[in-house]
Amino acid sequence: MSQPPLAAPDGPYYAPGWQPPRPPTDAFAIAALVTGVLGLGLVAVVLGIAALVRIGRDGTRGRWLAIAGVALGTISTLVVAGLLVVAVNGVLETRPLPPDVTAARDAHARQLVTGNCLDPLPDDGEVNDVRVVPCTDPHAAQVISQYEFESDAIWPGQAAADRRVATACQVSAAETEAGLTPVTWAPTEQSWEDGDRTGLCLLHRADGTPLTGSLLP
């Protein structure tokens, strides 16, 4: 007497107390988290995105590791980008201008050199941004000389720095008779810490009448 063949089971059989094996954690997800913690921004972002694609395709684990890697990578990338912007701006703020610009432009006061013409003349106090114009255009003031502190000098204090620059600002009798009066700009304590060692002597008309042409020979 023969027995009917046993029916094939519909799925895998597991002994009581056993569970199906867990899928492995995607290696890219782990790498994304590690590189994100190490601050390797774009690397972490790329690895994290690749891990998410692989996890969705293969059913492996590590989704949250990949997401964390992408998040950390994005944050570190933004931080690095911000630092680069600050560094570039710092370089641009200290790069000297040509003595006579060909078109009006905004600049930082630390970029000024002898010959630059300004319009308007900033108010008294700490000066940062200025408007530099061609000296052939009507303008309010012109830088006629610079005073250089020693590169290794110790900060003398604001009053002493102001006096040194003012003493070095020489105005001729003819310039005084023409109604020109000096104004001096010295480094501040903050700009001194950033390496600023240049004072400026500018001339302008006391009555506010615009200047035309350069005051320099």
Side-chain angles (χ1 to χ4, degrees):
M1 182 176 177
S2 63
Q3 294 182 343
L6 297 175
D10 294 334
Y13 176 79
Y14 299 99
W18 285 69
Q19 297 294 329
R22 300 181 66 188
T25 300
D26 188 89
F28 278 27
I30 298 173
L33 180 62
V34 172
T35 53
V37 171
L38 294 176
L40 304 177
L42 290 177
V43 176
V45 171
V46 171
L47 288 173
I49 293 174
L52 291 173
V53 172
R54 286 157 53 101
I55 290 169
R57 181 192 64 200
D58 302 335
T60 51
R61 295 184 299 126
R63 175 179 175 81
W64 289 109
L65 297 179
I67 292 174
V70 171
L72 291 173
T74 301
I75 293 172
S76 60
T77 299
L78 293 175
V79 170
V80 170
L83 292 175
L84 287 176
V85 170
V86 171
V88 170
N89 286 338
V91 171
L92 293 178
E93 287 181 357
T94 57
R95 185 174 62 183
L97 296 172
D100 189 11
V101 299
T102 58
R105 57 175 294 178
D106 294 322
H108 193 276
R110 289 185 61 183
Q111 295 180 262
L112 296 175
V113 299
T114 299
N116 288 150
C117 294
L118 309 181
D119 192 64
L121 178 65
D123 296 331
D124 292 341
E126 185 172 341
V127 179
N128 291 308
D129 298 324
V130 293
R131 183 71 172 173
V132 184
V133 299
C135 292
T136 53
D137 295 348
H139 51 276
Q142 183 177 13
V143 181
I144 62 164
S145 65
Q146 297 170 232
Y147 175 80
E148 298 295 337
F149 293 84
E150 295 293 334
S151 60
D152 58 351
I154 298 174
W155 171 242
Q158 192 64 62
D162 292 341
R163 283 195 301 270
R164 291 189 193 180
V165 178
T167 300
C169 183
Q170 301 294 324
V171 181
S172 68
E175 290 169 335
T176 301
E177 291 175 2
L180 298 172
T181 185
V183 58
T184 56
W185 294 346
T188 64
E189 184 174 7
Q190 180 60 54
S191 70
W192 185 280
E193 292 178 358
D194 294 335
D196 184 13
R197 296 292 187 275
T198 303
L200 300 176
C201 175
L202 303 89
L203 285 183
H204 69 107
R205 294 191 189 279
D207 60 5
T209 304
L211 302 170
T212 302
S214 177
L215 298 172
L216 300 178

